Amino acid sequence: MALTSVHSKFHHPGVSRVDYKTLHMDRVLTAFLARLWHRGLPSKLSRAGDLTVDDFVDLFLANPDVFEGFDRDTTTRWVNTHLMDLVNRGRVNEAVAGPRPLHGFTYRFRNSRKSRPYGADEQLYEMLAETPSALQELRSFFFSDVDRTTGAIKPGPDTDVETQALLHLVSKAYGKVEDRPDTSKPRRPYPLLCREPARLLAEDVMRLLYHQEHMPRTVLVEYLKILFAFHLALYHLRMIKLLPRAVAAGAVDTSCASGHKGADAAHQCPYRVHLFVDVEGVPGTSAALLAEHSASVWYGRIQRFVKATFEVKKLDEFAEHLMTKRRKLTAPQDRPYFSAAEVLTLLGKGYKSERDNFFDQRVNGVLDDETDPPSEVRQIADLGLSPFDEYIEMLLHYKGRYHRGYIVDCLDSLLLKNRPGALLAQPRGTRGERRFVLDARLLEILLQISLLRPGPDGNLSTSPMRIDEFLAVLRERYGLYVDQLPDSDGFTGADLDDQSALRANSTAFTHRLREIGYYQDMSDAYLTQTITPRYSMGTTLGAEVVR
């Protein structure tokens, strides 16, 4: 039986705005750019029909004053391979999702039906909105060469070829596309259940953008996409851990809402993520087996997260009922809706009578929709649970596996499974186990960020770092464990075999650093094993030097 819409609603924006589906970061970033330009609102485009590769090629060829010497064959191959994000690439049903998001206005050329961000753009924007300066930095980067008042575009001399082409396309198509903010979908900022992931995301974005003078734009945009996916994945892993515990306790840790102030253990978030990552990347090794165990623990929590999400959503509907129908609850002063943390207070004894009545009607509604309830539903009804728990168990029977499958797909895509920048790998085939990994490109991004540190004057500058210091940064800032096992999230300590695996993983980590050019063996002495920044910025030596 398909549940009616009254029962099947699942998502609560206070937990996540993502509609759990497989995500493509090109399309997430493209939609995010529209929100960046329209101050948090999505864009509403008016254009006749979807654009094809030929439409873009025609636009190039129709403007020889700007695109001098372009021929159709070469231009078609260039557009196809370098400028466009295509769905079903190489297949008969290949279609344009949109141009690669190298510049802010590329969102004006996307085909909306092929370029769906499934709410990840909104989640990203609302997390970054906690730090307005981060949004401003991103706006300045993606909409450089654009006059904010007039919308006029003037590519600078340092703009790369791909971005120049996209900018000229925008200017040539100016007036043919109507772009305006979609005011029918106003922002609804929900208080975050934990402010820590948003703070880390904003800090990392600003540190990465600090490299924009030293790095090709195409490379930096690629890094930003991986960084966004990385932090969205860490955010959702934290929610998978936080939400079931919060529902069980009937409240969220108060320090999460106010923000964790210090770096020491006493002030750290109790829902921090701890992942053991396999650096060597070879399935079947001891380190890989530990990383498989780590991944299995986290993916095994998804079912409880589905239940907790249903509980929060249904309590939110209960709150809405109390406020609008019974007038026994008032909305917060600053907004007409409730946060996820606020609806958890309705689990208290003071609301028991109203809660039982409300959810008893919901249970009867589910049973009334069934002419012959399945045996599992009858068993749930016979358990003697409270109406609220009985209703949630029934929803899980009908929709639990469905939502779990989509959350797994969504998490796989955010962890960039088997892709550049991956934090997750899985061998091809149905029996391959997932395991956490540390792909070279993700490692390089985290290095760029970590080697940029504030000096005594508060300004950022690059400086060498010992390998053990960087491993500590990975553990304490991101929860990524390489040379140690976590003390929670599926691990209780390392035995003799584990120690051997950890040494091998540490050696593989050093080799990986050497491969990507951040480390050279100068000596066996421990204190000389340092990681050297690729760029020297903000140093006291004077001029900035690019190595």
Side-chain angles (χ1 to χ4, degrees):
M1 183 198 78
L3 290 175
T4 61
S5 61
V6 173
H7 306 296
S8 61
K9 291 178 181 175
F10 176 69
H11 297 87
H12 189 287
V15 177
S16 173
R17 295 159 195 270
V18 176
D19 181 12
Y20 303 112
K21 300 280 175 55
T22 299
L23 298 171
H24 296 270
M25 291 311 295
D26 270 331
R27 295 155 208 176
V28 171
L29 181 53
T30 299
F32 173 75
L33 294 175
R35 290 185 182 274
L36 209 53
W37 183 250
H38 292 306
R39 308 287 181 185
L41 297 179
S43 72
K44 196 167 187 176
L45 299 173
S46 299
R47 191 182 59 220
D50 282 354
L51 295 172
T52 65
V53 170
D54 288 340
D55 291 327
F56 286 97
V57 174
D58 290 343
L59 196 52
F60 279 116
L61 300 182
N63 296 281
D65 54 321
V66 178
F67 306 107
E68 184 180 355
F70 279 47
D71 69 83
R72 178 167 292 278
D73 184 50
T74 306
T75 305
T76 301
R77 280 186 281 136
W78 180 57
V79 169
N80 217 323
T81 57
H82 285 75
L83 288 188
M84 291 297 128
D85 169 28
L86 302 177
V87 296
N88 303 316
R89 186 181 285 273
R91 300 178 184 174
V92 292
N93 56 345
E94 178 182 278
V96 171
R100 291 174 59 204
L102 297 176
H103 189 273
F105 280 145
T106 51
Y107 74 84
R108 291 180 175 176
F109 293 96
R110 76 183 191 278
N111 292 324
S112 299
R113 289 180 299 174
K114 306 289 185 185
S115 181
R116 292 180 176 169
Y118 295 113
D121 58 321
E122 186 179 5
Q123 178 67 33
L124 202 54
Y125 188 90
E126 295 301 337
M127 289 174 70
L128 286 165
E130 292 283 307
T131 311
S133 57
L135 283 177
Q136 183 55 45
E137 290 288 331
L138 283 167
R139 201 174 286 121
S140 300
F141 171 69
F142 279 106
F143 293 94
S144 59
D145 310 321
V146 178
D147 187 311
R148 175 80 200 181
T149 306
T150 64
I153 301 169
K154 292 182 178 179
D158 298 328
T159 308
D160 58 87
V161 175
E162 288 87 355
T163 308
Q164 287 239 20
L166 290 171
L167 283 173
H168 285 304
L169 274 181
V170 172
S171 60
K172 291 298 177 185
Y174 189 76
K176 297 179 182 178
V177 179
E178 185 181 348
D179 172 30
R180 61 183 187 278
D182 188 353
T183 53
S184 67
K185 300 174 182 176
R187 282 184 63 201
R188 300 188 86 183
Y190 282 81
L192 296 173
L193 284 172
C194 181
R195 300 168 71 94
E196 184 80 353
R199 182 183 67 81
L200 291 177
L201 168 64
E203 283 184 4
D204 284 1
V205 165
M206 288 195 288
R207 289 190 181 193
L208 194 56
L209 289 176
Y210 207 77
H211 294 79
Q212 58 185 289
E213 299 297 328
H214 303 276
M215 199 179 287
R217 187 183 184 88
T218 52
V219 175
L220 187 51
V221 170
E222 197 64 31
Y223 281 6
L224 280 170
K225 283 190 298 183
I226 293 173
L227 189 67
F228 286 161
F230 174 67
H231 277 284
L232 283 174
L234 291 186
Y235 170 81
H236 284 91
L237 287 174
R238 191 179 298 234
M239 290 300 107
I240 285 172
K241 186 176 181 178
L242 181 153
L243 201 62
R245 293 189 187 182
V247 172
V252 181
D253 195 297
T254 53
S255 64
C256 287
S258 60
H260 305 284
K261 306 298 182 186
D264 56 283
H267 295 284
Q268 288 183 350
C269 176
Y271 311 111
R272 289 179 71 230
V273 173
H274 304 89
L275 314 175
F276 180 79
V277 295
D278 170 31
V279 180
E280 190 174 4
V282 179
T285 62
S286 299
L289 293 176
L290 290 171
E292 284 179 10
H293 174 67
S294 185
S296 70
V297 168
W298 282 96
Y299 276 75
R301 290 172 169 166
I302 291 177
Q303 188 62 31
R304 291 175 59 199
F305 175 69
V306 172
K307 180 181 179 184
T309 305
F310 259 132
E311 290 172 321
V312 169
K313 180 60 183 173
K314 298 310 166 187
L315 285 172
D316 186 55
E317 294 171 2
F318 176 46
E320 185 76 15
H321 168 79
L322 290 180
M323 183 176 70
T324 58
K325 305 293 185 185
R326 306 287 293 173
R327 300 188 184 281
K328 293 185 176 180
L329 195 66
T330 55
Q333 291 183 347
D334 56 341
R335 51 192 150 82
Y337 49 89
F338 298 92
S339 71
E342 288 161 351
V343 301
L344 290 179
T345 61
L346 301 180
L347 288 170
K349 292 180 181 177
Y351 295 96
K352 183 177 185 309
S353 176
E354 292 284 353
R355 189 172 66 237
D356 286 350
N357 290 335
F358 179 80
F359 288 108
D360 198 39
Q361 292 179 19
R362 288 294 184 94
V363 169
N364 291 334
V366 173
L367 295 175
D368 289 345
D369 290 340
E370 288 275 20
T371 53
D372 183 19
S375 59
E376 293 86 351
V377 173
R378 288 199 295 270
Q379 289 174 4
I380 292 170
D382 292 340
L383 287 175
L385 301 172
S386 69
F388 175 64
D389 290 334
E390 186 178 350
Y391 180 56
I392 296 298
E393 291 297 331
M394 287 181 175
L395 297 183
L396 287 175
H397 166 73
Y398 287 109
K399 302 294 285 187
R401 181 177 297 180
Y402 169 86
H403 288 299
R404 183 189 180 283
Y406 276 109
I407 291 174
V408 167
D409 292 342
C410 180
L411 205 51
D412 281 354
S413 60
L414 287 176
L415 291 165
L416 300 176
K417 188 177 80 174
N418 297 337
R419 301 181 65 187
L423 192 59
L424 186 78
Q426 184 178 27
R428 306 293 180 190
T430 56
R431 294 186 178 181
E433 297 291 334
R434 291 177 177 82
R435 70 183 191 284
F436 291 122
V437 296
L438 188 57
D439 181 78
R441 193 167 297 184
L442 176 59
L443 175 59
E444 187 169 346
I445 295 167
L446 298 181
L447 278 165
Q448 305 272 18
I449 293 168
S450 302
L451 295 177
L452 195 61
R453 292 182 281 184
D457 57 356
N459 294 323
L460 293 173
S461 62
T462 52
S463 60
M465 180 184 286
R466 290 204 316 269
I467 290 181
D468 63 308
E469 289 179 323
F470 181 57
L471 287 170
V473 170
L474 292 180
R475 283 195 304 273
E476 293 165 10
R477 185 174 177 84
Y478 305 111
L480 305 182
Y481 286 72
V482 174
D483 62 333
Q484 298 178 16
L485 289 182
D487 56 4
S488 61
D489 292 336
F491 296 97
T492 55
D495 59 24
L496 199 58
D497 291 338
D498 295 337
Q499 294 292 354
S500 174
L502 294 174
R503 284 195 296 275
N505 212 36
S506 299
T507 303
F509 183 75
T510 306
H511 289 163
R512 182 63 55 81
L513 289 174
R514 188 182 297 114
E515 287 170 3
I516 60 178
Y518 280 85
Y519 172 69
Q520 289 182 330
D521 289 329
M522 302 298 292
S523 165
D524 290 335
Y526 178 74
L527 291 177
T528 64
Q529 294 183 355
T530 57
I531 303 169
T532 309
R534 180 165 294 169
Y535 311 106
S536 180
M537 295 185 294
T539 63
T540 57
L541 298 178
E544 297 177 347
V545 179
V546 181
R547 295 174 61 240

